[in-house]
Amino acid sequence: MTTATLTRRVSGGRTASDGVLAVECRGVTKEFGNGDTKTLALRGVDLDARPGEMTLLVGPSGCGKTTLISIIAGLLNPSGGEVNVLGTRLDKLSGSRLVKFRAANIGFVFQQYNLLPALTAAENAAVPLVIAGEYKSAAVKRAAEVLESVDLGERTQARPSQLSGGQQQRVAIARALIHQPRLLVCDEPTAALDAQSGQTVMQLLRRVALDPKRAVIVVTHDNRIFQYGNRVVSMSDGRVVDERQQLVADVAQLDHVA
Protein backbone atom coordinates (compact mmCIF):
# COMPACT_ATOMS: atom_id res chain seq x y z
CA MET A 1 0.00 0.00 0.00
CA THR A 2 1.84 3.08 -1.24
CA THR A 3 1.53 6.65 -0.08
CA ALA A 4 0.30 7.58 -3.54
CA THR A 5 -2.53 5.09 -3.22
CA LEU A 6 -3.43 6.25 0.27
CA THR A 7 -3.61 9.94 -0.61
CA ARG A 8 -5.48 9.80 -3.93
CA ARG A 9 -7.93 12.71 -4.07
CA VAL A 10 -11.58 12.14 -4.98
CA SER A 11 -13.14 15.15 -6.66
CA GLY A 12 -16.58 15.91 -5.26
CA GLY A 13 -16.67 12.63 -3.36
CA ARG A 14 -16.91 10.59 -6.58
CA THR A 15 -14.48 8.19 -8.19
CA ALA A 16 -13.49 6.77 -11.52
CA SER A 17 -15.40 3.64 -10.41
CA ASP A 18 -18.80 5.40 -10.55
CA GLY A 19 -21.48 2.97 -11.67
CA VAL A 20 -19.59 -0.08 -10.39
CA LEU A 21 -20.94 -1.49 -7.14
CA ALA A 22 -18.77 -3.26 -4.59
CA VAL A 23 -21.86 -4.19 -2.53
CA GLU A 24 -25.44 -4.53 -3.72
CA CYS A 25 -28.13 -5.64 -1.28
CA ARG A 26 -31.72 -6.07 -2.45
CA GLY A 27 -34.62 -6.89 -0.18
CA VAL A 28 -32.39 -8.38 2.51
CA THR A 29 -34.17 -9.82 5.54
CA LYS A 30 -32.85 -11.51 8.66
CA GLU A 31 -34.83 -13.41 11.28
CA PHE A 32 -33.61 -14.72 14.62
CA GLY A 33 -35.45 -17.32 16.70
CA ASN A 34 -38.66 -19.18 15.97
CA GLY A 35 -42.35 -18.93 16.79
CA ASP A 36 -43.17 -16.52 19.58
CA THR A 37 -39.47 -15.69 20.03
CA LYS A 38 -38.87 -14.80 16.38
CA THR A 39 -37.31 -11.37 15.82
CA LEU A 40 -37.12 -9.67 12.43
CA ALA A 41 -33.82 -7.79 12.53
CA LEU A 42 -33.78 -6.70 8.86
CA ARG A 43 -36.97 -5.92 6.94
CA GLY A 44 -36.14 -5.74 3.26
CA VAL A 45 -32.95 -3.66 3.12
CA ASP A 46 -31.60 -2.20 -0.11
CA LEU A 47 -28.03 -0.89 0.06
CA ASP A 48 -25.28 -0.01 -2.41
CA ALA A 49 -21.59 0.65 -1.73
CA ARG A 50 -19.11 1.75 -4.38
CA PRO A 51 -15.35 1.27 -4.73
CA GLY A 52 -13.32 4.33 -3.83
CA GLU A 53 -15.90 5.48 -1.31
CA MET A 54 -16.68 5.26 2.39
CA THR A 55 -20.28 4.40 3.26
CA LEU A 56 -21.44 5.19 6.80
CA LEU A 57 -24.31 3.20 8.35
CA VAL A 58 -25.93 5.19 11.14
CA GLY A 59 -28.95 4.81 13.40
CA PRO A 60 -30.01 3.88 16.94
CA SER A 61 -28.84 0.74 18.75
CA GLY A 62 -30.79 -2.32 17.70
CA CYS A 63 -31.80 -0.94 14.30
CA GLY A 64 -29.99 -3.69 12.37
CA LYS A 65 -26.71 -2.01 11.37
CA THR A 66 -24.39 -4.66 12.79
CA THR A 67 -26.61 -7.46 11.50
CA LEU A 68 -26.45 -5.97 8.02
CA ILE A 69 -22.68 -5.57 7.89
CA SER A 70 -22.25 -9.07 9.33
CA ILE A 71 -24.27 -10.38 6.37
CA ILE A 72 -22.26 -8.26 3.93
CA ALA A 73 -19.03 -9.59 5.47
CA GLY A 74 -20.21 -13.19 5.18
CA LEU A 75 -20.39 -13.73 8.95
CA LEU A 76 -24.17 -14.24 8.91
CA ASN A 77 -26.48 -15.71 6.29
CA PRO A 78 -29.53 -13.65 5.25
CA SER A 79 -32.99 -15.10 5.69
CA GLY A 80 -34.05 -13.63 2.35
CA GLY A 81 -33.07 -11.24 -0.40
CA GLU A 82 -29.93 -10.90 -2.51
CA VAL A 83 -26.44 -9.98 -1.32
CA ASN A 84 -23.95 -9.31 -4.09
CA VAL A 85 -20.42 -8.54 -2.90
CA LEU A 86 -17.64 -7.86 -5.41
CA GLY A 87 -19.64 -9.60 -8.12
CA THR A 88 -20.38 -12.71 -6.05
CA ARG A 89 -23.79 -13.67 -4.68
CA LEU A 90 -22.98 -14.34 -1.01
CA ASP A 91 -26.51 -15.58 -0.35
CA LYS A 92 -25.71 -18.44 -2.75
CA LEU A 93 -22.45 -19.41 -1.02
CA SER A 94 -22.10 -21.65 2.01
CA GLY A 95 -19.55 -23.62 3.97
CA SER A 96 -15.98 -23.65 2.72
CA ARG A 97 -16.78 -21.56 -0.38
CA LEU A 98 -18.04 -18.70 1.78
CA VAL A 99 -15.07 -18.98 4.16
CA LYS A 100 -12.64 -18.92 1.23
CA PHE A 101 -14.32 -15.89 -0.35
CA ARG A 102 -14.36 -13.99 2.93
CA ALA A 103 -10.69 -14.76 3.64
CA ALA A 104 -9.63 -13.56 0.19
CA ASN A 105 -11.77 -10.45 -0.17
CA ILE A 106 -13.10 -9.01 3.10
CA GLY A 107 -11.44 -7.34 6.08
CA PHE A 108 -13.39 -6.75 9.31
CA VAL A 109 -12.53 -4.20 12.02
CA PHE A 110 -14.34 -4.65 15.33
CA GLN A 111 -15.17 -2.14 18.05
CA GLN A 112 -13.09 -4.22 20.45
CA TYR A 113 -9.62 -4.66 19.04
CA ASN A 114 -9.45 -8.44 19.69
CA LEU A 115 -5.66 -8.46 19.81
CA LEU A 116 -3.84 -11.42 21.36
CA PRO A 117 -2.04 -10.08 24.47
CA ALA A 118 0.97 -12.39 24.20
CA LEU A 119 1.79 -11.35 20.62
CA THR A 120 3.58 -8.26 19.37
CA ALA A 121 1.84 -5.74 17.13
CA ALA A 122 3.48 -7.27 14.07
CA GLU A 123 2.54 -10.80 15.12
CA ASN A 124 -1.06 -9.74 15.74
CA ALA A 125 -1.29 -8.08 12.34
CA ALA A 126 0.23 -11.17 10.72
CA VAL A 127 -2.36 -13.61 12.12
CA PRO A 128 -4.55 -13.80 8.96
CA LEU A 129 -1.55 -14.67 6.81
CA VAL A 130 -0.33 -17.31 9.25
CA ILE A 131 -3.82 -18.87 9.36
CA ALA A 132 -3.79 -18.89 5.55
CA GLY A 133 -0.60 -20.96 5.64
CA GLU A 134 2.14 -18.40 5.06
CA TYR A 135 5.41 -18.88 6.93
CA LYS A 136 5.43 -16.84 10.14
CA SER A 137 8.65 -14.99 9.30
CA ALA A 138 7.30 -13.83 5.94
CA ALA A 139 3.92 -12.94 7.46
CA VAL A 140 5.49 -10.87 10.23
CA LYS A 141 7.71 -9.07 7.71
CA ARG A 142 4.66 -8.16 5.64
CA ALA A 143 2.83 -7.10 8.81
CA ALA A 144 5.66 -4.72 9.70
CA GLU A 145 5.27 -3.07 6.29
CA VAL A 146 1.52 -2.63 6.78
CA LEU A 147 2.08 -1.24 10.30
CA GLU A 148 4.44 1.32 8.76
CA SER A 149 1.59 2.44 6.48
CA VAL A 150 -0.64 3.08 9.53
CA ASP A 151 2.14 5.06 11.27
CA LEU A 152 3.14 2.30 13.69
CA GLY A 153 6.46 1.40 12.13
CA GLU A 154 8.28 2.07 15.40
CA ARG A 155 5.85 -0.05 17.47
CA THR A 156 6.02 -3.37 15.67
CA GLN A 157 7.51 -5.16 18.69
CA ALA A 158 5.14 -3.65 21.26
CA ARG A 159 2.49 -5.81 22.88
CA PRO A 160 -1.12 -4.61 23.17
CA SER A 161 -0.66 -3.62 26.84
CA GLN A 162 2.07 -1.22 25.73
CA LEU A 163 -0.14 0.53 23.17
CA SER A 164 -2.84 3.17 23.53
CA GLY A 165 -6.40 2.43 22.46
CA GLY A 166 -5.93 4.31 19.21
CA GLN A 167 -2.71 2.44 18.48
CA GLN A 168 -4.39 -0.91 19.20
CA GLN A 169 -7.19 -0.03 16.78
CA ARG A 170 -4.60 0.81 14.12
CA VAL A 171 -3.01 -2.61 14.66
CA ALA A 172 -6.47 -4.12 14.21
CA ILE A 173 -6.89 -2.16 10.97
CA ALA A 174 -3.48 -3.34 9.77
CA ARG A 175 -4.55 -6.93 10.54
CA ALA A 176 -7.73 -6.39 8.49
CA LEU A 177 -5.76 -4.92 5.57
CA ILE A 178 -2.84 -7.34 5.47
CA HIS A 179 -4.39 -9.64 2.87
CA GLN A 180 -5.35 -6.60 0.75
CA PRO A 181 -9.12 -7.08 0.89
CA ARG A 182 -11.30 -5.28 -1.63
CA LEU A 183 -13.97 -4.63 1.00
CA LEU A 184 -13.24 -3.32 4.49
CA VAL A 185 -16.12 -3.46 6.99
CA CYS A 186 -15.82 -1.65 10.33
CA ASP A 187 -18.18 -1.96 13.30
CA GLU A 188 -18.01 1.15 15.53
CA PRO A 189 -14.22 1.58 15.07
CA THR A 190 -14.11 4.80 17.13
CA ALA A 191 -16.57 3.91 19.91
CA ALA A 192 -13.89 2.98 22.45
CA LEU A 193 -11.58 5.88 21.56
CA ASP A 194 -11.18 9.45 22.71
CA ALA A 195 -11.93 12.22 20.20
CA GLN A 196 -8.37 12.69 18.95
CA SER A 197 -7.68 8.96 18.57
CA GLY A 198 -11.01 8.55 16.80
CA GLN A 199 -10.12 11.27 14.31
CA THR A 200 -6.74 9.63 13.68
CA VAL A 201 -8.40 6.27 12.97
CA MET A 202 -10.95 7.88 10.63
CA GLN A 203 -8.22 9.73 8.74
CA LEU A 204 -6.58 6.36 8.17
CA LEU A 205 -9.82 4.69 7.07
CA ARG A 206 -10.54 7.64 4.78
CA ARG A 207 -7.17 7.14 3.08
CA VAL A 208 -7.95 3.44 2.66
CA ALA A 209 -11.33 4.32 1.12
CA LEU A 210 -9.67 6.46 -1.55
CA ASP A 211 -8.27 3.34 -3.21
CA PRO A 212 -10.43 2.98 -6.35
CA LYS A 213 -10.27 -0.80 -6.03
CA ARG A 214 -11.51 -0.88 -2.42
CA ALA A 215 -14.77 -0.04 -0.65
CA VAL A 216 -15.14 0.81 3.04
CA ILE A 217 -18.34 0.46 5.10
CA VAL A 218 -18.39 1.88 8.63
CA VAL A 219 -21.11 1.43 11.26
CA THR A 220 -21.07 4.32 13.72
CA HIS A 221 -23.04 6.28 16.31
CA ASP A 222 -20.35 8.97 16.36
CA ASN A 223 -21.65 12.04 14.53
CA ARG A 224 -18.21 13.65 14.87
CA ILE A 225 -16.96 11.38 12.07
CA PHE A 226 -19.82 11.85 9.60
CA GLN A 227 -17.60 14.25 7.63
CA TYR A 228 -15.50 11.31 6.43
CA GLY A 229 -18.28 9.47 4.58
CA ASN A 230 -19.14 9.82 0.89
CA ARG A 231 -22.54 8.34 1.64
CA VAL A 232 -24.47 8.37 4.91
CA VAL A 233 -27.18 5.70 5.16
CA SER A 234 -29.61 5.96 8.09
CA MET A 235 -31.38 2.87 9.44
CA SER A 236 -34.32 2.44 11.81
CA ASP A 237 -36.19 -0.69 12.87
CA GLY A 238 -34.45 -2.95 10.37
CA ARG A 239 -34.94 -0.66 7.38
CA VAL A 240 -33.02 2.00 5.46
CA VAL A 241 -34.96 5.22 6.05
CA ASP A 242 -32.66 7.82 4.52
CA GLU A 243 -29.59 8.01 2.31
CA ARG A 244 -27.57 11.02 1.31
CA GLN A 245 -24.49 11.56 -0.80
CA GLN A 246 -22.14 14.24 0.46
CA LEU A 247 -19.03 16.03 -0.67
CA VAL A 248 -15.91 15.03 1.23
CA ALA A 249 -12.86 17.22 1.65
CA ASP A 250 -9.57 15.79 0.51
CA VAL A 251 -7.36 14.06 3.07
CA ALA A 252 -5.07 17.05 3.60
CA GLN A 253 -8.05 19.24 4.54
CA LEU A 254 -9.48 16.61 6.89
CA ASP A 255 -6.10 16.17 8.56
CA HIS A 256 -5.90 19.94 9.06
CA VAL A 257 -9.40 20.12 10.54
CA ALA A 258 -8.64 17.30 12.98
Side-chain angles (χ1 to χ4, degrees), residues 10 30 61 66 72 93 112-113 144 201 204 227 230 248:
V10 178
K30 181 61 180 179
S61 296
T66 296
I72 291 170
L93 296 182
Q112 302 301 324
Y113 322 122
V201 165
L204 168 60
Q227 62 178 323
N230 300 91
V248 182

Side-chain angles (χ1 to χ4, degrees), residues 134-183:
E134 189 162 330
Y135 287 114
K136 181 180 177 181
S137 58
V140 170
K141 181 179 179 180
R142 170 60 185 151
E145 295 171 355
V146 179
L147 287 170
E148 179 72 34
S149 76
V150 299
D151 300 323
L152 287 177
E154 297 181 355
R155 305 292 282 160
T156 59
Q157 297 306 304
R159 286 179 166 74
S161 62
Q162 299 170 310
L163 300 172
S164 69
Q167 289 172 330
Q168 290 185 63
Q169 188 62 291
R170 280 186 277 159
V171 174
I173 292 170
R175 180 182 58 196
L177 291 174
I178 195 166
H179 62 298
Q180 298 182 319
R182 293 164 60 199
L183 174 63

